[in-house]
Amino acid sequence: MLDYSHDDWKSRAAGLSFRGQAFIDGKFVDAVSGKTFDSINPATGAVLTPVSECDEEDINRAVAAGRAAFEGGRWSRMAPGDRKAVMLKLADLIRDNLEEMALLDSLDMGKLVTDAVTIDAPGSAHFFQWYAEAIDKVYDEVAPTGPGDLALVSRVPLGVVGAVTPWNFPLDMATWKAAAALAAGNSVVLKPAEQSPLSALRLAELAAEAGVPDGVFNVVPGFGATAGQALGLHMDVDCLAFTGSTAIGKMFMQYSGQSNLKQVWPETGGKSPNLVFADCEDLDAAADMAAFGIFFNQGEVCSANSRLYVERSIKDAFVEKLIARAQGTQPGDPLDPASKMGAIVDEKQTQGIMRFVEAGKKSANLVTGGERVTVDGKGCFVQPTIFDDVTHDNPLARDEIFGPVLSVIPFDTEEEAVRMANDSIYGLAASVWTDNLSRACRVSDKLMVGTVSVNTVDALSAQTPFGGMKQSGFGRDLSLHSLEKYTALKTTWIKYKA
Ligand code: NAD
Ligand code: MN
């Protein structure tokens, strides 16, 4: 698999068939309106397939199917060990179709197929497997009440979980929500991002093949302002798990207040700082990971290390190392294993990134990149770009760009570095590079973020919670803690003759 050539991937892509219809109640169906929109490959501009443009009516159908399935109990009341078996089968099916799942994300949103086939698609299988294996090992509680009372404190599924996901890791974001919500016994109605709905639709089909009963896992593609809003405002959705921008995360909180007080779990934007201290012994490793932290997935990563704070004494030498790495990370055809970076998700995002870059050319020191480029004369591609001497109040240092654009800011003291790192509306993640153990612990302790990575970037696993503080939202995906989102605490008192 890892030996696939560019031609191998191109011929596999050419042979792919796409599912563009909504998946509701165990079947692929058109939108009630009959409308479709085009799924576009940003690397070429080519239309991949028409996709059902679902709106409120389709959301209503999917939620009704989810509710009926939940009340029918085939999934919600299935023994955890049996749900586990179905989800393990799904993990196997994802592995059996790994190249297809990887290609769907690569073609739909421009990421490198080699990343998709080694990271995203195996990750999806792994997360389904992890929650499958977990679900028959989670115990409830018996409260310490007196004799004559048996008080059970248990975690029960909520009912219908709505999930609204972004386009940067289409399969994995769908998986992070669905795997935990399904493991807990809920029904799910997922609205994937309109830029990249294809892998989630195929995932729903594989879930049905694995034995997930009809109505339990529905995928309803459509636009945010129609389908997304309908899910947010729905009176019969019990919980809404959202990953996307901070602005839309705030809207989901409002939708809840305007409707049925559904629980909302926003996981939103970021502007993650990476702090490099002069006492870091392996500055080459730090530079490798600093570059990875901003150029991986074209910088379209919520936790991307987009603010780089470097101690002034090593700043110039460190920036030289970064420039070399950026120049070795030029974009290319996402299907070419030799390419180092893929395409930006669409025209709109590309133009948004370039607006930041053009403004940056007037307000900071562009040291590499800074241009939009084409590959084979086509597509949405942006060079890996680094601005040095960015002032802390520059939009380059404050706003989420969501592209391959790094802002370098020097610091003189540990205290100043921590203060600037925390001076952000976001608090998703941070990295710290130092070989001074006390400093590593002290700085990590002070950073107001959901995840601190010391001497690495973006550390993440199924075993640890992922999510933010401040306006990065408060939802947590992954780990057993994610199950808490998708369950309610229920107390059952039983009187008996002691
Ligand atoms: P977005 O907020 O524009 O869209 C996310 C989802 O919300 C999409 O499915 C979209 O259709 C839907 N949506 C848009 N407008 C809506 C509305 N008015 N009502 C209801 N739904 C609506 O974000 P995006 O551009 O797709 O993704 C990029 C953002 O996602 C970035 O801000 C990034 O930081 C964030 N993100 C966060 C995490 C995390 O875990 N914290 C992970 C990945 C991405
Ligand atoms: Mn697309």
Side-chain angles (χ1 to χ4, degrees):
M1 172 180 70
L2 297 180
D3 296 335
Y4 282 174
S5 68
H6 192 186
D7 283 341
D8 291 337
W9 282 116
K10 282 199 286 195
S11 68
R12 281 189 162 256
L16 216 53
S17 63
F18 302 104
R19 286 113 180 115
Q21 289 174 294
F23 194 82
I24 298 175
D25 206 11
K27 288 177 288 296
F28 281 111
V29 293
D30 288 330
V32 173
S33 68
K35 285 201 274 183
T36 61
F37 64 97
D38 287 336
S39 150
I40 291 171
N41 176 353
T44 61
V47 174
L48 295 168
T49 182
V51 175
S52 297
E53 186 183 329
C54 295
D55 58 27
E56 189 180 349
E57 276 192 87
D58 309 284
I59 292 288
N60 289 344
R61 284 198 302 171
V63 173
R67 178 63 57 194
F70 186 75
E71 286 178 355
R74 280 181 63 206
W75 185 255
S76 56
R77 296 185 181 283
M78 189 185 263
D82 295 338
R83 281 205 298 269
K84 162 177 150 178
V86 173
M87 290 181 57
L88 287 176
K89 178 89 192 299
L90 174 54
D92 283 343
L93 287 172
I94 294 166
R95 292 189 181 106
D96 291 346
N97 295 278
L98 210 63
E99 293 86 352
E100 179 189 0
M101 299 311 271
L103 271 170
L104 290 176
D105 274 356
S106 175
L107 293 171
D108 216 358
M109 61 70 66
K111 70 171 63 212
L112 295 177
V113 75
T114 43
D115 284 348
V117 82
T118 53
I119 300 170
D120 301 59
S124 173
H126 175 69
F127 296 128
F128 273 106
Q129 179 176 346
W130 197 86
Y131 281 104
E133 288 170 344
I135 201 61
D136 65 350
K137 297 170 192 67
V138 181
Y139 290 76
D140 289 331
E141 298 167 359
V142 176
T145 55
D149 288 316
L150 177 61
L152 309 175
V153 181
S154 48
R155 287 258 167 208
V156 296
L158 295 168
V160 179
V161 170
V164 175
T165 49
W167 44 259
N168 57 340
F169 294 92
L171 177 61
D172 281 8
M173 291 298 103
T175 298
W176 287 17
K177 310 296 185 203
L182 292 173
N186 297 283
S187 297
V188 172
V189 177
L190 169 74
K191 195 212 75 71
E194 54 271 33
Q195 294 88 344
S196 58
L198 299 178
S199 58
L201 291 166
R202 179 70 174 123
L203 178 66
E205 188 181 29
L206 293 179
E209 190 182 333
V212 173
D214 291 354
V216 171
F217 185 29
N218 308 279
V219 177
V220 188
F223 292 98
T226 49
Q229 183 181 55
L231 199 53
L233 284 171
H234 204 289
M235 292 300 288
D236 203 27
V237 169
D238 299 287
C239 158
L240 197 298
F242 172 77
T243 297
S245 62
T246 293
I248 305 298
K250 291 179 183 180
M251 293 179 76
F252 275 99
M253 303 287 286
Q254 295 184 355
Y255 296 154
S256 171
Q258 289 162 21
S259 58
N260 64 342
L261 212 62
K262 61 178 67 64
Q263 296 184 56
V264 175
W265 299 106
E267 282 190 60
T268 54
K271 188 75 185 175
S272 297
N274 183 1
L275 278 53
V276 181
F277 289 91
D279 58 15
C280 166
E281 281 166 19
D282 192 349
L283 287 174
D284 284 312
D288 286 344
M289 293 304 280
F292 175 81
I294 185 62
F295 301 136
F296 172 61
N297 210 48
Q298 304 74 242
E300 297 162 322
V301 179
C302 52
S303 50
N305 287 232
S306 52
R307 295 187 279 153
L308 179 68
Y309 296 95
V310 191
E311 194 161 345
R312 197 178 301 275
S313 59
I314 58 165
K315 197 265 288 173
D316 287 343
F318 197 74
V319 168
E320 284 308 311
K321 292 179 193 291
L322 283 172
I323 291 171
R325 283 156 179 82
Q327 288 172 351
T329 315
Q330 296 304 319
D333 181 351
L335 298 184
D336 185 350
S339 297
K340 301 296 183 206
M341 197 163 73
I344 303 299
V345 65
D346 63 10
E347 187 59 41
K348 182 166 168 249
Q349 182 69 10
T350 308
Q351 289 178 11
I353 294 168
M354 290 312 296
R355 274 195 294 277
F356 277 106
V357 171
E358 293 307 329
K361 287 176 183 173
K362 300 187 190 94
S363 59
N365 178 15
L366 175 72
V367 292
T368 188
E371 299 299 328
R372 179 177 178 165
V373 292
T374 57
V375 170
D376 299 329
K378 294 180 288 222
C380 300
F381 296 89
V382 174
Q383 291 175 337
T385 297
I386 301 176
F387 287 101
D388 194 1
D389 304 319
V390 177
T391 55
H392 182 62
D393 57 356
N394 190 311
L396 288 177
R398 308 204 72 82
D399 297 346
E400 183 178 48
I401 300 173
F402 225 56
V405 182
L406 180 67
S407 299
V408 182
I409 301 160
F411 68 83
D412 292 298
T413 65
E414 180 184 306
E415 182 274 331
E416 183 191 18
V418 170
R419 183 172 47 73
M420 289 196 289
N422 279 335
D423 180 22
S424 169
I425 64 166
Y426 298 112
L428 189 53
S431 294
V432 181
W433 292 83
T434 175
D435 279 278
N436 177 327
L437 179 64
S438 293
R439 166 171 280 162
C441 295
R442 195 166 57 229
V443 171
S444 300
D445 189 42
K446 289 178 183 161
L447 290 170
M448 295 299 289
V449 298
T451 301
V452 181
S453 300
V454 177
N455 292 339
T456 185
V457 299
D458 258 341
L460 178 147
S461 79
Q463 298 95 311
T464 54
F466 180 90
M469 295 185 187
K470 300 195 268 184
Q471 291 191 45
S472 293
F474 49 83
R476 288 291 180 280
D477 278 319
L478 306 180
S479 83
L480 293 181
H481 293 288
S482 175
L483 294 174
E484 293 161 15
K485 292 195 304 196
Y486 301 117
T487 52
L489 265 185
K490 181 168 182 174
T491 304
T492 308
W493 284 88
I494 301 168
K495 282 274 182 208
Y496 65 95
K497 293 192 174 61

